[in-house]
């Protein structure tokens, strides 16, 4: 694990995040929204996504208070239309356009990706609140684009080997510019460590006939959580996870079996089980005044980039 360049890190009594969602309730929400999305030919999807997030956020509790996702289907619908028009135009042009257009297709997609990642993270963060206090994001788009350009170039010239370092550096930027009140998040992971986790995962996944996959997922989760910190002006403290290999394998492997046996219908229950496993294992630093946070300034409601990352299937899985 990469060291944190701050000597003022101490052990403390951790707090917990809890997730109290129920598979049956989530199934009802998913079923209703799938039907509405189908009968509206996909137009209801932004409202469906808002409903999913509102339920998940509201079932997540810290120090006796629930989180709230303040984004709305209307905000997401506007973003959906813009994102669909932009990306749809690009894909249509690539399918029916001149060969010269095809030459620029992938470079254009690569140019869009950093805007989508940056905007989606900013939207999700700033539309999240806890006890009426909104999270804030103070990153600069120009700064992020320069960093992203260097990272993607290094990933391309190394034929993807640098991808682990790219992912970590993006995490560092997004986390380090995210805060709630006077408390700021940060990330101290090392690309070499993530590369090692992924290398071992790719090496073992086939000989183990897939049985190593739950452990691989657990190690990636552990890498993210154990390298996250929260800080104020005086101190910096590290998040932790006490998730064990046995627990991760038990939950994730049985989730896979349930999805296969039910042809995917068990997804709401598997999602709830997985989320409870992750949250229940997290230890939140105790030594901060969470009860007297100042309101964070800034309110960003443009969901265009958030829709783009969905359409382009860009995972913000950290």
């Amino acid at each position: 694990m990469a060291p944190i360049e701050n000597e003022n890190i101490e052990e403390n009594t951790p707090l917990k995040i809890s997730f109290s969602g129920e598979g049956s309730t989530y199934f009802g929400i998913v079923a209703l929204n799938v039907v509405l999305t189908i009968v509206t030919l996909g137009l209801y999807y932004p409202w469906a996504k808002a409903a999913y997030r509102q339920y998940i956020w509201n079932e997540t509790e810290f120090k006796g208070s629930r989180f709230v996702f303040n984004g709305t289907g209307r905000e997401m619908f506007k973003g959906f239309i813009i994102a669909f028009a932009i990306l749809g135009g690009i894909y249509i042009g690539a399918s029916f356009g001149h060969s010269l257009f095809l030459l620029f297709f992938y470079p254009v997609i690569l140019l869009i990706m950093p805007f989508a990642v940056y905007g989606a993270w900013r939207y999700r963060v700033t539309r999240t609140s806890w006890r009426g206090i909104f999270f804030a994001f103070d990153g600069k788009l120009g700064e992020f684009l320069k960093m992203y350009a260097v990272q993607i170039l290094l990933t391309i010239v190394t034929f993807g080997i640098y991808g682990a370092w790219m992912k970590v550096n993006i995490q560092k930027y997004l986390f380090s510019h995210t805060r709630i009140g006077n408390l700021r998040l940060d990330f101290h992971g090392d690309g070499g460590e993530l590369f090692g986790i992924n290398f071992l995962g790719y090496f073992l996944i086939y000989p183990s006939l897939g049985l190593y996959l739950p452990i691989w997922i657990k190690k990636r989760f552990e890498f993210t959580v154990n390298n996250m910190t929260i800080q104020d002006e005086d101190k910096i403290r590290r998040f932790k996870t006490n998730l064990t290999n046995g627990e991760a394998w038990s939950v994730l492997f049985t989730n896979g079996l349930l999805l296969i046996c039910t042809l995917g219908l068990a997804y709401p229950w598997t999602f709830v089980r997985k989320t409870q496993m992750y949250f229940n294992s997290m230890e939140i630093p105790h030594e901060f005044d969470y009860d007297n946070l100042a309101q964070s300034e800034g309110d960003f409601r443009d969901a265009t980039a958030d829709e783009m990352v969905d359409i382009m299937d860009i995972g913000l899985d950290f």
Side-chain angles (χ1 to χ4, degrees), residues 89-108:
I90 293 174
Y91 284 115
I92 291 173
S95 300
F96 302 101
H98 192 273
S99 58
L100 184 63
F101 188 95
L102 294 176
L103 181 65
F104 292 99
F105 174 72
Y106 289 107
V108 169

Side-chain angles (χ1 to χ4, degrees), residues 51-215:
Y52 300 150
R53 289 184 185 172
Q54 287 164 1
Y55 176 76
I56 295 166
W57 266 242
N58 194 52
E59 294 298 324
T60 305
E61 183 176 305
F62 177 63
K63 285 181 67 67
S65 298
R66 304 291 181 97
F67 289 86
V68 177
F69 179 69
N70 299 275
T72 66
R74 182 177 180 181
E75 291 173 0
M76 292 185 179
F77 181 73
K78 292 178 181 178
F80 176 78
I81 294 300
I82 297 172
F84 188 82
I86 294 173
L87 296 175
I90 293 174
Y91 284 115
I92 291 173
S95 300
F96 302 101
H98 192 273
S99 58
L100 184 63
F101 188 95
L102 294 176
L103 181 65
F104 292 99
F105 174 72
Y106 289 107
V108 169
I109 292 297
L110 286 176
L111 287 173
I112 289 176
M113 286 177 64
F115 288 95
V117 171
Y118 176 92
W121 182 269
R122 180 172 61 170
Y123 176 75
R124 296 179 192 185
V125 165
T126 60
R127 302 303 282 142
T128 298
S129 64
W130 178 74
R131 292 185 175 177
I133 307 297
F134 280 77
F135 283 74
F137 180 73
D138 55 14
K140 304 297 181 183
L141 179 58
E143 187 177 67
F144 181 78
L145 292 178
K146 291 178 183 177
M147 181 274 294
Y148 197 100
V150 173
Q151 300 300 307
I152 196 67
L153 178 61
L154 290 172
T155 300
I156 291 172
V157 299
T158 60
F159 300 100
I161 294 176
Y162 188 78
W165 283 267
M166 175 179 174
K167 180 180 177 68
V168 165
N169 287 329
I170 291 173
Q171 283 183 256
K172 287 181 178 179
Y173 186 89
L174 297 177
F175 279 49
S176 67
H177 289 86
T178 300
R179 58 188 175 81
I180 178 169
N182 60 313
L183 301 180
R184 183 176 295 275
L185 297 178
D186 207 346
F187 186 75
H188 303 269
D190 177 73
E193 183 183 355
L194 180 58
F195 177 83
I197 292 171
N198 288 337
F199 181 82
L200 183 63
Y202 286 120
F203 183 77
L204 294 177
I205 191 71
Y206 295 108
S208 69
L209 302 179
L211 296 179
Y212 185 74
L213 180 59
I215 307 303

Side-chain angles (χ1 to χ4, degrees), residues 4 10 16 53 69 84 100 122-123 128 136 162 170 196 205 209 213 227-228 231 244 252 260 268 280 287 306 318:
I4 300 175
E10 303 172 359
K16 293 284 189 178
R53 289 184 185 172
F69 179 69
F84 188 82
L100 184 63
R122 180 172 61 170
Y123 176 75
T128 298
Y162 188 78
I170 291 173
I205 191 71
L209 302 179
L213 180 59
N227 283 298
M228 286 175 56
Q231 65 187 71
T244 65
L252 297 177
I260 293 171
N280 291 343
E287 204 171 7
D306 190 61
F318 41 78

